[in-house]
Amino acid sequence: MIVESRAYCNEQDHPRVMEFLRATYAETDNLENWLPPRFENNRRSMDPGIQLWEDNGKLVGLVVPEESLVYFVQLHPRYPKLYPEMVQWIEEYSSITWGKDDAMLKIIEMEGNPKKEKVLQEHGFTRGRIYGIFRMRDLDLSIPDFKLPDGFKVRSVTPDDFDEIASCIRQVFGHGAWFNREILETLSSASFYNPDLDLVVVNTEGKIVSFCTFRLDPLSRVTELEPMGTLEEYRSMGIGRALLCEGFRRLKKYNPSLLYIGGAADTPPANRLYELTGFTQRIDLYRWEKSL
């Protein structure tokens, strides 16, 4: 085994990383590594701090910064001994690139892996707050027959909707003006995008009041539900749950292998929606933190 590390090159390495993520999910059936839609979704803003580890040219692991000083480790299950080296690389790279007074380095890991937690503790990291939440839906569950209120209907998105959807997303998630139609146009060119699975609810005037997108990786059939939301004045009407269930019915014909929400909210209304629509399995991701 001759494992070497090098910087990521998007043009040549993106398809290799996508295949690596598909293969490791197929082998492990767990979510410790990113799934293909998440990596492809982040492609437009990839940080130069992505680093690869290769065994005689075969990709066996990588470090991905989701933002400055926030890192995820993706590792082949047969190479756990590389994890300490990857953590060490993150520390050294971050100190050189971002080191300053009071800078806090974060490595994000899923709960329940004592071996990784021991390594992080040995490197001086302590577990902090929850960073993110996964929600999964059992694909064998029956689909509830939730109905939309009178006067509302579900339809597929068209490119003419992108400005209005961008505005809805800004309102629901508090994004700034940077989130615009150009971002949605870029996402619509991704391999995971299927217009049949990009849905909105409109009222009698044709105004978009709710939205959701099922991002289906065409090779692994792993599917991420992202984004989804309803304008505040149209909540508590059953619109979101009816929209999701229409999405479940459409998704079923594509034979998905997994359906998950990668950035689930943790509010009482959101948790109620998840439970009502079958996203009953929850896994938490934690910040492991260390001052540089």
Side-chain angles (χ1 to χ4, degrees):
M1 181 176 73
I2 304 175
V3 177
E4 297 179 322
S5 176
R6 67 170 176 84
Y8 171 88
C9 175
N10 190 52
E11 183 174 347
Q12 71 185 55
D13 292 323
H14 181 263
R16 299 178 65 231
V17 171
M18 293 287 283
E19 180 52 37
F20 169 81
L21 297 176
R22 293 181 185 115
T24 54
Y25 172 70
E27 184 167 336
T28 64
D29 197 32
N30 70 44
L31 305 178
E32 287 196 83
N33 288 344
W34 279 11
L35 294 168
R38 182 169 185 175
F39 189 81
E40 187 170 16
N41 180 47
N42 283 272
R43 182 179 186 179
R44 68 183 183 278
S45 58
M46 284 298 182
D47 186 282
I50 297 177
Q51 189 79 358
L52 307 183
W53 277 257
E54 298 171 317
D55 184 356
N56 288 311
K58 177 185 175 182
L59 182 60
V60 297
L62 66 153
V63 163
V64 181
E66 191 164 58
E67 55 185 281
S68 300
L69 296 170
V70 178
Y71 290 87
F72 286 77
V73 176
Q74 327 286 336
L75 186 58
H76 194 285
R78 291 200 292 272
Y79 289 79
K81 292 184 178 180
L82 284 179
Y83 188 74
E85 177 183 328
M86 298 169 86
V87 170
Q88 182 70 31
W89 183 89
I90 291 171
E91 291 185 83
E92 293 174 355
Y93 177 84
S94 298
S95 294
I96 294 170
T97 308
W98 306 106
K100 56 184 179 181
D101 292 341
D102 300 323
M104 184 66 72
L105 175 61
K106 303 175 186 70
I107 296 177
I108 311 303
E109 286 294 350
M110 187 171 292
E111 61 181 339
N113 190 318
K115 292 182 179 179
K116 287 184 176 179
E117 292 176 0
K118 181 180 179 182
V119 171
L120 290 167
Q121 289 168 346
E122 289 172 346
H123 280 256
F125 288 83
T126 58
R127 196 175 87 167
R129 295 178 292 113
I130 290 176
Y131 179 83
I133 299 168
F134 281 112
R135 284 276 191 166
M136 280 72 66
R137 186 178 197 275
D138 186 341
L139 293 168
D140 293 327
L141 285 177
S142 61
I143 299 173
D145 190 25
F146 293 127
K147 302 293 187 184
L148 284 168
D150 291 342
F152 295 86
K153 68 177 182 179
V154 177
R155 66 168 174 82
S156 296
V157 168
T158 73
D160 291 340
D161 296 319
F162 287 167
D163 280 319
E164 187 175 0
I165 293 173
S167 175
C168 291
I169 290 173
R170 290 196 298 270
Q171 293 177 62
V172 170
F173 299 112
H175 295 330
W178 60 268
F179 194 96
N180 53 31
R181 71 169 293 119
E182 285 71 28
I183 290 178
L184 296 177
E185 287 171 346
T186 299
L187 292 174
S188 71
S189 68
S191 68
F192 59 64
Y193 185 79
N194 182 330
D196 187 39
L197 301 174
D198 193 10
L199 305 174
V200 292
V201 173
V202 296
N203 65 11
T204 53
E205 290 77 37
K207 176 184 177 180
I208 294 173
V209 304
S210 188
F211 53 88
C212 72
T213 305
F214 292 82
R215 297 172 174 173
L216 173 70
D217 178 51
L219 298 182
S220 67
R221 304 188 316 282
V222 165
T223 306
E224 179 182 24
L225 175 56
E226 167 66 23
M228 66 172 178
T230 301
L231 296 181
E232 186 174 4
E233 60 267 36
Y234 294 93
R235 295 173 189 167
S236 301
M237 298 172 62
I239 290 173
R241 67 190 188 189
L243 175 60
L244 289 183
C245 289
E246 172 60 20
F248 299 158
R249 287 187 284 271
R250 294 191 183 200
L251 180 63
K252 189 173 182 179
K253 63 188 175 186
Y254 297 99
N255 192 27
S257 60
L258 174 71
L259 175 57
Y260 75 102
I261 303 169
D266 194 19
T267 63
N271 287 325
R272 175 173 168 76
L273 176 63
Y274 301 146
E275 295 295 325
L276 284 171
T277 55
F279 287 96
T280 54
Q281 185 181 356
R282 169 177 169 156
I283 301 175
D284 294 339
L285 289 83
Y286 283 89
R287 297 172 170 88
W288 285 83
E289 301 173 332
K290 177 180 180 179
S291 296
L292 288 178

